Amino acid sequence: MRENREPELALRYATKEIPSTMMINPYATPSRVGVRPDARLAQAFLTQAFFWMFLGLLLTTGVGAVVAGLSDSQLTGVAGLAMPLIIAQLVIAFTLTL
């Protein structure tokens, strides 16, 4: 038969055996809780993050080069597409996050 462990936990909490951040903040940082992520996981996450940042900078450079090469009449024509381009960017961003 299982006994009620609530009084035992309350006693441990009162005597500071359990860090207060675990009881008050369920979203405490891993270092405060005493858990560390695997180094390979952290490395993979950073690699992917920097890869996506690099692709974003590459895309920005490409768009800047194309826009710099447009004539004034072409820029005036493209100016009417501002809202559809913003919506397309948001759709691409939401699609990539899935």
Side-chain angles (χ1 to χ4, degrees), residues 8-9 13 85 88:
E8 180 183 322
L9 287 175
Y13 176 67
L85 287 174

Side-chain angles (χ1 to χ4, degrees), residues 7-82:
E8 180 183 322
L9 287 175
L11 177 64
R12 288 177 65 196
Y13 176 67
T15 59
K16 303 285 187 212
E17 243 180 273
I18 297 176
S20 60
T21 55
M22 287 178 64
M23 299 302 280
I24 296 170
N25 183 6
Y27 305 106
T29 61
S31 61
R32 284 188 175 183
V33 179
V35 179
R36 298 197 66 161
D38 185 27
R40 291 174 293 179
L41 178 66
Q43 180 68 29
F45 177 76
L46 284 175
T47 301
Q48 288 179 347
F50 280 109
F51 174 74
W52 283 109
M53 285 190 289
F54 173 75
L55 283 181
L57 288 172
L58 196 62
L59 179 65
T60 302
T61 302
V63 169
V66 168
V67 170
L70 294 177
S71 67
D72 288 340
S73 61
Q74 289 173 328
L75 281 175
T76 306
V78 174
L81 298 174

